[in-house]
Amino acid sequence: MKLVVLVLLLLQVSRSADSACFCQVTGDLDDCTCDVETIDGFNNDQLFPKLQTLLESDYFRFYKVNLNKACPFWTASGHCGLRDCAVKPCSPNEVPEGIRSPSHNKYSAEANEQQVDCEQAKHLGAVDVSLSDETRQALLNWSKHDDEAERFCVVDDEESPDSQYVDLLLNPERFTGYRGPEAWQIWNSIYEENCFKPYTVRRPLIPNSFYSSSGSEAKTFYSWLEGQCVEKRAFYRLISGLHSSINIHLSARYLLDDSWFQKKWGHNVTEFRQRFDSELTAGEGPKRLRNLYFLYLIELRALAKALPFFQQSSFQLFTGRPEEDQRHKELLLHILQLARSFPLHFDETSLFAGNEKESAKLKEDVRLAFLNISRIMDCVGCFKCRLWGKLQTQGLGTALKILFSERQIEALPSSSVQRPSFQLSRQEIVSLLNAFGRISTSVRELKNFRSLLAEER
C-alpha cells in the first residue's frame, strides 16, 4: 500500500512540472475571439515551416543596422565583454549586389526604368523646372517628416557609415550570458516609463530575481490594468509578449556545454521553468505566455493587412537574381495569403474607436511610447541582444504602422507612376517578417518544451 502511495506522489510531482507552466495557457485569450489551441495548430502545422524557408533567403537574412549608437537616456557602463555577445558584420562581397548597391532600386526593377525615362524627360523639357538647393532640401525634409510621422519605431539611417549588414543566420538569437542589473535596467525602463503605468503601481516581478515584489502588489497591478482602456491593456500585453518571446528563445538556445572541444546549444528546461512555471514565478509565467499569443495575433493581422502592398506588380524582393527573387516573392505572397485565411483574427477596429479627438491623441501617445522603447534598444550592452532587440521592436513597430494605415493601403494606386499612399522601406520589410518569425518560433518552441517537460514525468 505504501509503495502505491509513493508512486502516486511521484507521478503527481512529475506532472506538476508540465502543468505548472501550461495549465493556464489554454482556451480563449483576453480581448480576442481566438484561443491558444487554434494558434498552435495553425502556426506549427501550416505557417512555421514556410516562414522559416523564406527567412533563409538572401533578401531576409541580411539586415542593415547601426549597433554603435550611444544610449540616449543614461550613461552606459560599457559593452558586454562576453564572446557570445559579439556580432560579426558582413564583408561587402558577402551581401548580394542588388541589396548593397545604391545604384539599384531594392524594391522595383520597373522603378529603375522609370528613373531613366524621367531623366530623359528632364533634359528634353522646354520649361526650366530645376529647384534651388534650399527647396530641394525642404522637400526631402517634408518627405522624411511624412515617413517619420507614420512610424512607431526608430529606423536606422542605412546611409550612415556606422550602419553595417549583418547575416542573421550567422548571428542567431540565443543565450549569451548577458544578465543582471544592466539587463534588468533595460526592461525596467520599458515597463516603468513607457507602459502608461503610474509609479505608485508596482508591476509583479519574478521572485528571487534582481528585484522582486509581493503577491499584494501583483493583485494591485492587475486591478489597475483591468481598469485601463483596451488600447493601454493591449500595449502592455504586447510588450510583455515580446519579453516572453525573447525569454523562450534564450531558454531554447542555451549554452549547455562550453568546452575546448565543442559549444553545444539546446533546450534548458530548468531555465524555462524558472521563467514560466506558475509556482516559481508566483503565477506570472502562464500570464506572460498568454501575452505571447496575443502578440502573435497582432503581428499575424498586420501581415494579412499588408498583402495588397506586396501584391503590387512593381514590388520585388530585389537581390539582383530575377528567378530567385520571383520565387521568393511568390512564397511571400503565399505566406501572406495563408495569414489572411486565419479564421480568428484580432479585430483592430476595437482600438481607437471612441471620440475622434481623444482617439487621435491616444494613438499618438501609443506611437510615441513605442518609439521611445525602440530608442532604449541602443542602451543594451550586449551587441547580439541589441541586434535582435532592435530588429524585433522595429518589426513590431512596423506591424503597428500597417494596422493603423488601412485607408492608405486601400488607396494604393494601380499604377506605379503615381506616388504610393503607403510605403515600407526594405529595413521595415526585413524586420517585419523576421520579427514575426521570432514569435512563430516561440510558439513552436512551446510545443518542444511541453514534450520535454512531459518526458520528465
Side-chain angles (χ1 to χ4, degrees):
M1 183 66 181
K2 291 182 179 179
L3 180 61
V4 173
V5 173
L6 179 61
V7 170
L8 289 173
L9 286 172
L10 288 173
L11 285 172
Q12 185 176 2
V13 170
S14 61
R15 283 195 197 100
S16 66
D18 184 10
S19 61
C21 290
F22 293 109
C23 64
Q24 299 173 44
V25 188
T26 184
D28 293 339
L29 296 169
D30 298 335
D31 297 324
C32 300
T33 59
C34 190
D35 59 89
V36 167
E37 289 75 15
T38 299
I39 295 173
D40 280 338
F42 176 79
N43 180 74
N44 299 340
D45 299 335
Q46 299 183 60
L47 193 143
F48 174 78
K50 297 179 178 67
L51 183 57
Q52 295 309 303
T53 299
L54 180 69
L55 296 180
E56 290 172 2
S57 68
D58 283 351
Y59 188 90
F60 288 102
R61 69 185 289 181
F62 294 106
Y63 177 62
K64 198 167 189 181
V65 62
N66 183 354
L67 296 176
N68 296 311
K69 284 185 176 179
C71 174
F73 300 108
W74 59 80
T75 302
S77 59
H79 296 304
C80 173
L82 299 170
R83 58 181 175 176
D84 291 319
C85 286
V87 171
K88 181 184 178 183
C90 298
S91 60
N93 63 343
E94 291 176 313
V95 182
E97 185 180 1
I99 293 176
R100 61 181 164 83
S101 174
S103 63
H104 288 83
N105 184 297
K106 298 171 187 175
Y107 317 103
S108 167
E110 184 180 343
N112 288 325
E113 296 172 4
Q114 290 173 357
Q115 185 176 1
V116 174
D117 293 340
C118 288
E119 289 295 324
Q120 291 174 345
K122 180 179 177 181
H123 291 298
L124 293 172
V127 179
D128 183 5
V129 292
S130 61
L131 301 174
S132 67
D133 290 341
E134 292 79 5
T135 304
R136 185 178 293 106
Q137 186 59 47
L139 289 172
L140 289 172
N141 289 341
W142 293 340
S143 177
K144 182 179 180 182
H145 177 269
D146 288 344
D147 289 341
E148 291 178 350
E150 298 173 348
R151 285 180 175 150
F152 282 73
C153 59
V154 173
V155 176
D156 287 343
D157 180 7
E158 292 193 70
E159 303 304 318
S160 167
D162 289 328
S163 292
Q164 295 178 296
Y165 283 103
V166 173
D167 187 335
L168 298 174
L169 299 183
L170 297 181
N171 294 275
E173 183 182 26
R174 59 192 180 192
F175 183 78
T176 64
Y178 179 67
R179 62 198 321 169
E182 290 183 8
W184 180 88
Q185 184 180 17
I186 299 295
W187 286 109
N188 187 63
S189 177
I190 290 172
Y191 284 115
E192 294 297 323
E193 299 170 17
N194 297 280
C195 284
F196 306 102
K197 184 183 68 63
Y199 287 108
T200 53
V201 176
R202 294 188 63 182
R203 75 185 192 282
L205 299 171
I206 295 175
N208 302 318
S209 61
F210 188 72
Y211 292 99
S212 61
S213 55
S214 65
S216 62
E217 287 174 346
K219 186 176 180 180
T220 301
F221 173 82
Y222 285 109
S223 176
W224 166 82
L225 186 64
E226 289 306 310
Q228 299 303 299
C229 61
V230 64
E231 293 84 0
K232 291 182 179 179
R233 288 202 308 271
F235 188 87
Y236 170 80
R237 293 174 67 195
L238 287 177
I239 301 306
S240 173
L242 178 61
H243 195 178
S244 298
S245 180
I246 291 172
N247 282 334
I248 291 170
H249 304 153
L250 304 186
S251 301
R253 302 193 73 167
Y254 200 91
L255 184 57
L256 302 176
D257 184 14
D258 187 10
S259 66
W260 288 102
F261 307 103
Q262 66 172 351
K263 290 173 74 76
K264 182 182 178 182
W265 306 84
H267 294 83
N268 188 326
V269 176
T270 301
E271 184 75 17
F272 180 83
R273 289 191 61 209
Q274 287 176 346
R275 295 174 187 269
F276 297 110
D277 187 297
S278 180
E279 295 177 5
L280 298 179
T281 62
E284 281 302 301
K287 293 176 183 176
R288 293 171 182 178
L289 290 178
R290 290 176 67 84
N291 289 338
L292 164 71
Y293 283 92
F294 181 77
L295 172 62
Y296 183 96
L297 285 178
I298 293 293
E299 295 203 9
L300 181 70
R301 181 60 169 163
L303 290 180
K305 302 284 282 188
L307 179 59
F309 172 81
F310 293 106
Q311 282 178 323
Q312 296 176 103
S313 59
S314 59
F315 175 80
Q316 290 186 6
L317 298 177
F318 192 76
T319 66
R321 302 166 185 155
E323 292 183 6
E324 188 177 304
D325 294 346
Q326 180 58 30
R327 188 169 67 253
H328 288 140
K329 180 178 179 179
E330 290 171 359
L331 177 57
L332 170 63
L333 293 179
H334 177 68
I335 290 170
L336 297 180
Q337 287 162 346
L338 184 61
R340 179 166 280 196
S341 73
F342 184 72
L344 298 171
H345 270 296
F346 176 79
D347 181 12
E348 74 281 0
T349 61
S350 63
L351 303 177
F352 309 110
N355 176 276
E356 187 174 345
K357 186 175 181 180
E358 292 178 0
S359 295
K361 182 183 183 304
L362 181 58
K363 180 180 175 182
E364 182 64 6
D365 289 344
V366 167
R367 189 185 74 84
L368 293 176
F370 198 83
L371 191 71
N372 215 42
I373 289 173
S374 71
R375 296 177 68 210
I376 293 174
M377 293 301 109
D378 286 316
C379 301
V380 177
C382 165
F383 279 123
K384 189 167 288 182
C385 307
R386 181 183 295 200
L387 164 67
W388 286 100
K390 286 168 77 79
L391 182 142
Q392 290 176 83
T393 52
Q394 186 180 73
L396 177 52
T398 303
L400 295 173
K401 171 183 171 179
I402 292 168
L403 283 182
F404 303 119
S405 301
E406 183 174 16
R407 281 180 290 185
Q408 293 93 319
I409 294 174
E410 289 178 347
L412 282 168
S414 56
S415 170
S416 56
V417 175
Q418 300 171 263
R419 185 186 177 190
S421 52
F422 176 82
Q423 298 184 71
L424 291 175
S425 68
R426 179 181 179 275
Q427 212 177 17
E428 288 175 309
I429 294 167
V430 172
S431 64
L432 173 69
L433 270 296
N434 272 286
F436 184 68
R438 296 280 75 209
I439 307 303
S440 175
T441 299
S442 292
V443 172
R444 181 65 179 79
E445 288 292 359
L446 289 185
K447 180 180 180 180
N448 294 332
F449 277 113
R450 279 189 178 97
S451 299
L452 291 170
L453 287 166
E455 289 174 5
E456 291 188 347
R457 293 178 181 177

